[in-house]
Amino acid sequence: MYGRFDYKKRVNFGLWQKQSLCGCIPNERLPFGGRLCYTLDMIVKRCELSDYRNYTKASVAFENGINVLCGDNAQGKTNLLEAVCLCSVGRSPRTPRDKELIKKGCERGKVKCTTTDRGGQNTVEIWLDRTENKRVAVNGMPISRMGELMGVVAAVYFSPDEMRIIKDAPGDRRRFMDIALCRMSKAYFYLLGRYNKILSQRNRLLKSGKATDDVLDVWDAQLAAEGAKIANTRRGFVEKLCGYAREAHEYLTDGKESLCLQYEGIEGLGADEIGRNFAAELQRNRMRDKTLCFTSCGVQKDDIAVKVGDTDVRAYGSQGQQRTAALAFKLAEMALHHAQSGEYPVLLLDDVLSELDPYRQRKLIERSKGFQTIVTCTHLPAEISAALGDHALFTVRAGEVTAASR
């Protein structure tokens, strides 16, 4: 996907110095109404599972628009969305342990996703093994670095558990930033890996009791240089995300509330100034770090401030405000991805409609008609079915998926 960017055209967005060949302007504001054009968007055409979770063997062909997976709880609906996520970012949104994805009693499992976008057709295959690390192939070619997977299957996942983006610890908001940025930029994926490696080595040195100032100076210079690039990229991401999130939130609340996002991290205008400030902070905290035996400052402490009016929704928002803000995050992520690449990713909604009031259900359904959406539910009331309009319906029962008549 990212091989089609013209890197000679510059977009002032931190680490991302690129503009898509389709001529999209990153500052454009996308309407949050219906949009019935999928020809240039990311489309998951088929997902195939073998000994995955509760599936023995399954092959599901999705339609371009809205796809509804309907069935009782614990039948495999979420597992199917999870498989698409696995092919998108190389890890499950539900567990960090790949072996949990293999069907009970089996030694191996496999997932395969076939997609189309403006560049043609792509396939991602992931083999899971209880005794070995997972193996990944893109278009039949094994990859040795997970960064090569980023962007091949572009998908945004949202479930009721995703409310933790708003209400839980800063680590969940950093994870949101990093997953979105990695999907849009392989360079960021590798940058993040380098920073984490340097951070780990610095912490190991601090724990060893052999952290002399001369040695720490070397590690601090590297940490500040890589951390400054991450902070600059994240700041640019949040600044642009804020505009889209505000629009999405106003769309979902009919303009009754206004959402504002602000990056909280190392201060500075540009990577150079951020790097100097980071280096100075590392120097100020050096004695403390030696005492604590870990690095107490850096981009691993970053956060996103989330406010509705004057209320910090992270701590003081109602459950309804937190849910709406989280959904606005995801819709904004969709819009920002489109602004950067010219393509909408696939939207995966896991049992989300049941968590929304009728008004927000209708607004989300209306918006979902603008790109391929795969949604799960335990039942499909007539009013929601009518609001969905033309859609593909599948029933899921005991790890088997069948297309249903509407």
Side-chain angles (χ1 to χ4, degrees), residues 103-160:
K103 187 176 182 179
K104 186 177 180 180
C106 297
E107 292 301 311
R108 300 171 190 81
K110 182 185 176 184
V111 175
K112 179 180 179 181
C113 269
T114 302
T115 67
T116 59
D117 59 16
R118 67 178 61 228
Q121 180 170 294
N122 292 294
T123 61
V124 171
E125 297 170 277
I126 299 180
W127 291 268
L128 305 164
D129 195 300
R130 292 196 184 277
T131 59
E132 299 177 359
N133 292 331
K134 63 175 173 276
R135 294 179 292 117
V136 182
V138 175
N139 295 329
M141 299 294 293
I143 62 173
S144 57
R145 299 190 298 175
M146 199 58 68
E148 298 305 308
L149 179 64
M150 299 299 117
V152 179
V153 179
V156 171
Y157 175 79
F158 186 66
S159 74

Side-chain angles (χ1 to χ4, degrees), residues 196-354:
N196 288 333
K197 184 176 180 179
I198 295 168
L199 178 64
S200 177
Q201 290 171 326
R202 187 180 192 270
N203 286 339
R204 193 158 47 243
L205 177 64
L206 290 167
K207 290 176 183 177
S208 72
K210 301 176 181 178
T212 64
D213 287 341
D214 288 344
V215 177
L216 281 174
D217 285 342
V218 175
W219 288 114
D220 288 3
Q222 296 181 52
L223 197 68
E226 302 292 23
K229 297 173 189 175
I230 291 173
N232 193 45
T233 304
R234 285 178 176 174
R235 187 180 298 277
F237 171 79
V238 173
E239 287 174 355
K240 292 192 177 293
L241 186 75
C242 180
Y244 293 113
R246 183 183 298 114
E247 285 184 357
H249 194 268
E250 290 175 354
Y251 170 79
L252 292 169
T253 62
D254 199 23
K256 295 176 182 176
E257 295 180 333
S258 180
L259 180 71
C260 181
L261 310 180
Q262 186 174 358
Y263 174 76
E264 294 182 337
I266 304 166
E267 296 295 329
L269 297 176
D272 290 342
E273 184 177 348
I274 293 172
R276 290 192 295 271
N277 292 340
F278 188 6
E281 192 171 356
L282 285 167
Q283 185 66 41
R284 285 194 300 271
N285 285 276
R286 180 167 290 184
M287 289 306 299
R288 183 182 182 214
D289 290 355
K290 287 181 178 180
T291 301
L292 296 174
C293 296
F294 69 86
T295 306
S296 60
C297 64
V299 297
Q300 70 275 13
K301 303 291 185 179
D302 287 356
D303 198 358
I304 303 176
V306 186
K307 290 188 176 182
V308 172
D310 295 328
T311 302
D312 188 334
V313 182
R314 295 173 297 184
Y316 304 109
S318 67
Q319 191 173 47
Q321 285 179 317
Q322 291 176 339
R323 184 180 294 115
T324 303
L327 184 54
F329 263 60
K330 293 296 182 173
L331 291 178
E333 185 183 356
M334 298 281 293
L336 182 53
H337 187 103
H338 177 270
Q340 288 298 122
S341 69
E343 298 176 342
Y344 276 109
V346 179
L347 180 60
L348 308 174
L349 299 174
D350 187 18
D351 199 26
V352 171
L353 294 178
S354 63

